Amino acid sequence: MSKSITIIGAGPGGYETAAAAAEKGFDVTLITDGPLGGTCLNEGCIPTKCLCRNAEVLEDFAHSEEYGITASYSFDFKKAVERKEAVISQLRSGIEFLLKKVRIIEGKASFKDSHTVLVGEEEIESDYIIIATGSVSALLPIPGNDLEGVITSKELLSIDVIPRKLCIIGAGVIGLEFASIFNSFGSEVTVLEYCPNVLPRFDIDLAKRLKQSLSKKGISIITSAKVESIEHSPGGLEVKYQFKDNRFSILSDKVLMAVGRRPNLKSLNFDEIGIETTPKGVVVNNYMQTSVPNIYAIGDITGGMMLAHVATFQGRRVLNHLTAGCPSEGPVDKIQLDLVPAAVFTSPEVATIGKTEEECKAEGVAFKIRKSFYRANGKALSMNSPDGYCKIIEEEKSGRILGCHIIGSHASDLIQEVTALISMDGNIYDLSSIIHAHPTLSEIVLNAAD
């Protein structure tokens, strides 16, 4: 008799785990109180990338004369939104096909006990339960954070008119991606960040270079700015902030709250069945088990790196643990959940893997830095993309690759080669021995190793 799994949440972690579990012979029930695909597909990764592509095309048109092309053009934002919705619809249909062996129940779930989930009056019993209910946008606790026109990324992706002036609070991944997009769309964009640098958890060298690049495009980025309040005024929304002991304000049509996301801890009645949580998320062990052993949690609900691909691989870890007979110790796969590539789809892109220079210094690790620049790469120049570099951090004695940080065109694609090498404990000499096709952007990574 096959084992049964109930999965709560249909984001990438939930639906991909559901499809894989069904293929492995589990009897799978997937519960969702929203559209298939979760935040990533419907109001996050995918729609944002659609708009990123629109922004890229607009930038190409703006420089068309450099390619010998003289053209007049206009931008129909409504059609851009329609294309975004069409992409979402197509991918959602693909998910439905993947889940053909999965029972899908729509509605809000709650726990009855450690093996039983309630959806309305229906009870679903199963051997194992996986929680994949994701995260929600965080709001800065300041006066005016609930005013009309103060929005999160979800609402910004649903607007039908490009704001003339856009103020973004937060210069993390979400804030900078939207800053880059709407700057290309013609908005006057101001970004306010509390920390001294943009992308606070990234390599500082990389973050400073990105700020410089975005500023050259006309985006006003003010770091070390403490936002104090938002008020209605005759000119729109007035955002008041403190900078270097002085108080300033700016007017905007819309204010985007982009101060991060927090685990959706209110999604289920965790306390009633003894699932341990902290403000950072559901507590799990290396196998993604909660304090109730037959209940697992994956993705944003566990805190940590809130990325779709993390949720997917955490789901794989759960299935590997189940198929291995739920051991209490020892490895069940080769997945390195602490080695996660991350990308920021600004213009230029940013991508990173492994340790930063600052982390190496803090840990007392002796290291060397190797760099190569886009402006020395033939493919980058032919693409009119000379802005950027690749920075590789190696352990001084062994040459083992500790981290890589790239800013420039297609950085999100280039980072994967280094990720693979780090995962196999590769060193700088392994990288420099691999023949790379010419002319390609991948040679930027090779040249850094050389």
Side-chain angles (χ1 to χ4, degrees):
M1 184 176 178
S2 63
K3 292 285 187 179
S4 56
I5 300 176
T6 295
I7 301 174
I8 308 171
Y15 80 75
E16 291 193 33
T17 304
E23 289 297 325
K24 288 179 179 290
F26 288 93
D27 181 9
V28 184
T29 299
L30 178 65
I31 302 171
T32 177
D33 63 351
L36 293 175
T39 297
C40 177
L41 173 57
N42 298 286
E43 56 193 60
C45 315
I46 302 304
T48 307
K49 301 306 128 0
C50 288
L51 296 184
C52 280
R53 178 57 183 155
N54 280 101
E56 288 174 359
V57 173
L58 282 170
E59 286 199 14
D60 284 343
F61 268 113
H63 296 90
S64 62
E65 290 189 2
E66 296 177 27
Y67 300 97
I69 301 170
T70 302
S72 61
Y73 64 94
S74 61
F75 178 42
D76 188 336
F77 182 59
K78 182 179 178 181
K79 288 187 176 180
V81 172
E82 289 173 354
R83 188 183 77 90
K84 167 178 71 74
E85 293 302 320
V87 171
I88 292 171
S89 178
Q90 180 179 342
L91 290 172
R92 197 181 293 143
S93 296
I95 294 171
E96 291 171 357
F97 179 78
L98 283 175
L99 298 176
K100 60 185 182 294
K101 296 181 180 180
V102 175
R103 180 191 181 199
I104 301 174
I105 298 177
E106 296 182 0
K108 186 169 177 57
S110 63
F111 283 106
K112 179 180 179 181
D113 56 49
S114 61
H115 286 277
T116 311
V117 174
L118 300 174
V119 181
E121 296 184 358
E122 184 173 2
E123 294 188 5
I124 301 100
E125 292 187 18
S126 55
D127 298 300
Y128 306 102
I129 298 171
I130 302 174
I131 302 164
T133 49
S135 61
V136 294
S137 295
L139 293 177
L140 199 64
I142 57 172
N145 68 0
D146 57 350
L147 291 176
E148 184 178 354
V150 180
I151 57 178
T152 66
S153 56
K154 177 181 179 179
E155 291 81 39
L156 188 56
L157 286 167
S158 300
I159 63 173
D160 52 13
V161 177
I162 298 171
R164 188 173 59 87
K165 292 185 177 183
L166 174 64
C167 177
I168 299 175
I169 301 175
V173 175
I174 296 171
L176 292 187
E177 285 188 354
F178 278 112
S180 186
I181 289 167
F182 279 89
N183 172 68
S184 295
F185 288 178
S187 296
E188 182 182 322
V189 180
T190 301
V191 182
L192 301 175
E193 168 59 46
Y194 179 77
C195 294
N197 296 294
V198 303
L199 299 178
R201 294 183 179 86
F202 281 61
D203 182 86
I204 291 178
D205 188 22
L206 196 77
K208 288 180 177 178
R209 180 63 174 267
L210 180 60
K211 180 185 176 184
Q212 183 183 50
S213 294
L214 295 179
S215 297
K216 285 181 179 179
K217 292 177 180 288
I219 300 171
S220 175
I221 302 175
I222 304 169
T223 53
S224 300
K226 181 182 179 182
V227 178
E228 297 179 327
S229 66
I230 306 170
E231 299 175 3
H232 276 305
S233 76
L237 290 165
E238 184 177 12
V239 181
K240 297 184 177 181
Y241 65 97
Q242 184 176 322
F243 176 71
K244 293 183 178 179
D245 298 325
N246 293 309
R247 284 181 165 78
F248 302 87
S249 67
I250 59 170
L251 290 175
S252 63
D253 304 313
K254 299 285 185 183
V255 176
L256 171 64
M257 281 279 184
V259 292
R261 298 182 65 85
R262 53 182 175 78
N264 190 11
L265 294 176
K266 294 182 180 179
S267 59
L268 291 161
N269 50 328
F270 296 119
D271 293 341
E272 292 183 25
I273 59 166
I275 293 178
E276 184 183 354
T277 65
T278 73
K280 294 182 178 180
V282 174
V283 177
V284 294
N285 64 14
N286 189 50
Y287 303 118
M288 310 313 296
Q289 285 175 299
T290 68
S291 51
V292 181
N294 71 293
I295 301 178
Y296 296 76
I298 61 174
D300 290 7
I301 193 69
T302 65
M305 294 187 76
M306 295 187 179
L307 298 168
H309 44 288
V310 172
T312 295
F313 277 83
Q314 288 176 339
R316 293 188 185 187
R317 170 62 54 83
V318 172
L319 291 183
N320 292 335
H321 187 241
L322 294 177
T323 54
C326 302
S328 58
E329 59 182 21
V332 294
D333 54 44
K334 294 183 178 181
I335 298 171
Q336 299 177 49
L337 292 174
D338 58 344
L339 184 63
V340 179
V344 187
F345 293 89
T346 45
S347 177
E349 286 185 0
V350 164
T352 181
I353 182 67
K355 293 187 181 298
T356 66
E357 190 175 340
E358 294 71 40
E359 287 172 336
C360 290
K361 290 176 181 177
E363 295 170 12
V365 177
F367 65 92
K368 289 172 62 177
I369 298 293
R370 293 176 182 256
K371 269 189 179 182
S372 66
F373 296 87
Y374 274 64
R375 63 175 177 265
N377 178 268
K379 180 67 180 293
L381 292 181
S382 69
M383 294 168 57
N384 199 29
S385 299
D387 185 17
Y389 65 78
C390 172
K391 173 181 178 180
I392 297 177
I393 302 174
E394 63 171 293
E395 191 174 53
E396 190 169 47
K397 288 185 178 180
S398 67
R400 184 166 63 95
I401 302 172
L402 302 175
C404 180
H405 312 279
I406 305 174
I407 178 170
S409 182
H410 292 275
S412 59
D413 303 310
L414 296 177
I415 201 67
Q416 201 56 46
E417 178 182 14
V418 185
T419 301
L421 281 165
I422 295 177
S423 72
M424 295 184 287
D425 207 26
N427 60 42
I428 204 74
Y429 313 109
D430 295 323
L431 176 54
S432 64
S433 300
I434 298 171
I435 298 174
H436 289 61
H438 174 78
T440 63
L441 293 179
S442 68
E443 291 175 292
I444 296 169
V445 178
L446 174 64
N447 289 339
D450 287 340

